[in-house]
Amino acid sequence: MRLSELRRELLSRTEAVDARIIISLATGLDDIHQITESGKEITEEEKEKAFSLLEKRLSGVPMAYITGEKEFYGHVFKVNHATLIPRPDTETIVERALEIARTIKNPKILDLCTGSGAIGTSIAYELSIPVSLSDISHDALVIAEENYRNICGNSPDAREGSLFEPWKGERFDMIVTNPPYLTDKWYEETDKDVKAEPISAFIGGGEDGLDLIREIINKSPEFLSDNGYLLIECDYRQIALCDNLLRISGFSSIGVDKDLAGKERVIYGRLSE
């Protein structure tokens, strides 16, 4: 089988971007050489590997899990089945965190529910400062630490535990978090690719999906310095509720940022003195 024939077969069953990645993984050829060497005969081993990867993709395994990596904020992050796959929309919270952090001298920052470490690592790299990471999942935290080391060149203060449990006695100038926040119903409405990711990274608890966020907001004043900031990613349908929760817990200067689709995605506030 020639490479061009393999490509046609893959394109008849999956999207062009997936076909290119599968060919690259099976043959080692990049996008340019896939074009310039389209007449190349592929080996039986390469053919079998390509179709094995195709079947895995068609079964609902996200391409990021197949390749083992995902680009986020200009860096390539390692991901696996223990971590949520970073989304472009989550770059919204990184942008806001950077803008606020640049107004604080030597900010001490915590990335809560860090997952792959994408948010905290991106902030640490851009500002050339240490950012602390934590997650309840040991396996996710191992990946987060590896990503941080690979991208920032040093090891983070990374602690395993539920929400603020590992940080008793600590205070931060900023806490950023992309916690689980979907309701059971919203989760059931997601596609099969999403369901291949860890369910614990999605279900927030309660009828409104806000049980974890509610706990984060309620407890964060204990872990924030005077005038410290809390930044949260949530669903646009939860923004009004989160706004009220922040105000009740003593936050002011509340703002909301929209994601790439124009939907409200990030809410943040400053702890009032």
Side-chain angles (χ1 to χ4, degrees):
M1 174 181 275
R2 292 180 179 174
L3 181 59
S4 59
E5 295 173 317
L6 173 62
R7 178 175 171 76
R8 279 198 299 272
E9 178 65 24
L10 293 176
L11 287 174
S12 71
R13 301 179 64 187
T14 191
E15 298 177 2
V17 63
D18 287 352
R20 289 198 303 272
I21 295 172
I22 288 171
I23 291 172
S24 178
L25 291 172
T27 68
L29 296 173
D30 60 24
D31 290 353
I32 293 176
H33 287 91
Q34 287 179 34
I35 297 171
T36 60
E37 299 184 30
S38 61
K40 175 185 176 181
E41 287 287 337
I42 64 169
T43 67
E44 191 64 27
E45 183 181 355
E46 290 171 335
K47 175 184 172 182
E48 289 179 3
K49 184 173 182 180
F51 283 108
S52 174
L53 292 171
L54 174 65
E55 292 306 318
K56 187 179 289 188
R57 180 71 187 99
L58 293 177
S59 73
V61 178
M63 187 55 76
Y65 286 161
I66 294 174
T67 63
E69 60 186 35
K70 180 69 174 179
E71 185 175 348
F72 180 85
Y73 214 76
H75 299 282
V76 176
F77 285 81
K78 181 178 178 179
V79 295
N80 63 20
H81 287 275
T83 67
L84 183 72
I85 298 169
R87 268 73 167 172
D89 285 331
T90 297
E91 293 185 359
T92 305
I93 197 170
V94 174
E95 291 284 359
R96 176 56 62 183
L98 291 173
E99 183 175 320
I100 294 173
R102 289 185 175 115
T103 69
I104 305 170
K105 184 177 181 180
N106 301 320
K108 186 179 179 183
I109 301 173
L110 168 64
D111 177 11
L112 194 66
C113 307
T114 192
S116 67
I119 295 173
T121 300
S122 299
I123 295 170
Y125 180 87
E126 292 296 321
L127 299 178
S128 298
I129 62 170
V131 172
S132 300
L133 314 175
S134 68
D135 202 282
I136 195 172
S137 167
H138 172 77
D139 292 339
L141 198 59
V142 168
I143 297 297
E145 289 182 84
E146 182 176 344
N147 283 324
Y148 191 105
R149 285 193 299 270
N150 289 342
I151 293 169
C152 297
N154 50 62
S155 296
D157 181 357
R159 305 184 191 182
E160 180 183 340
S162 178
L163 298 183
F164 294 109
E165 193 176 76
W167 303 105
K168 292 176 181 177
E170 302 272 359
R171 286 191 180 269
F172 300 89
D173 299 301
M174 179 187 296
I175 297 169
V176 295
T177 183
N178 177 18
Y181 55 76
L182 294 187
T183 67
D184 291 345
K185 181 176 183 296
W186 294 347
Y187 177 77
E188 288 305 317
E189 293 169 350
T190 62
D191 61 30
K192 62 182 180 180
D193 280 22
V194 171
K195 291 186 174 67
E197 298 178 67
I199 188 172
S200 59
F202 290 102
I203 302 295
E207 291 186 7
D208 56 10
L210 288 174
D211 278 5
L212 280 174
I213 287 180
R214 196 172 280 110
E215 185 175 353
I216 289 170
I217 293 174
N218 288 343
K219 291 183 177 179
S220 60
E222 181 184 342
F223 298 90
L224 281 170
S225 56
D226 293 340
N227 297 309
Y229 288 84
L230 176 63
L231 289 75
I232 303 170
E233 176 173 326
C234 63
D235 190 272
Y236 69 95
R237 291 164 287 189
Q238 297 167 320
I239 289 291
L241 289 170
C242 288
D243 183 296
N244 186 54
L245 290 170
L246 285 167
R247 294 181 190 280
I248 291 173
S249 289
F251 288 87
S252 60
S253 303
I254 294 171
V256 175
D257 290 327
K258 294 181 178 179
D259 61 22
L260 298 173
K263 293 183 177 180
E264 294 178 323
R265 173 72 57 177
V266 174
I267 187 164
Y268 58 94
R270 179 173 55 83
L271 188 63
S272 304
E273 293 186 79

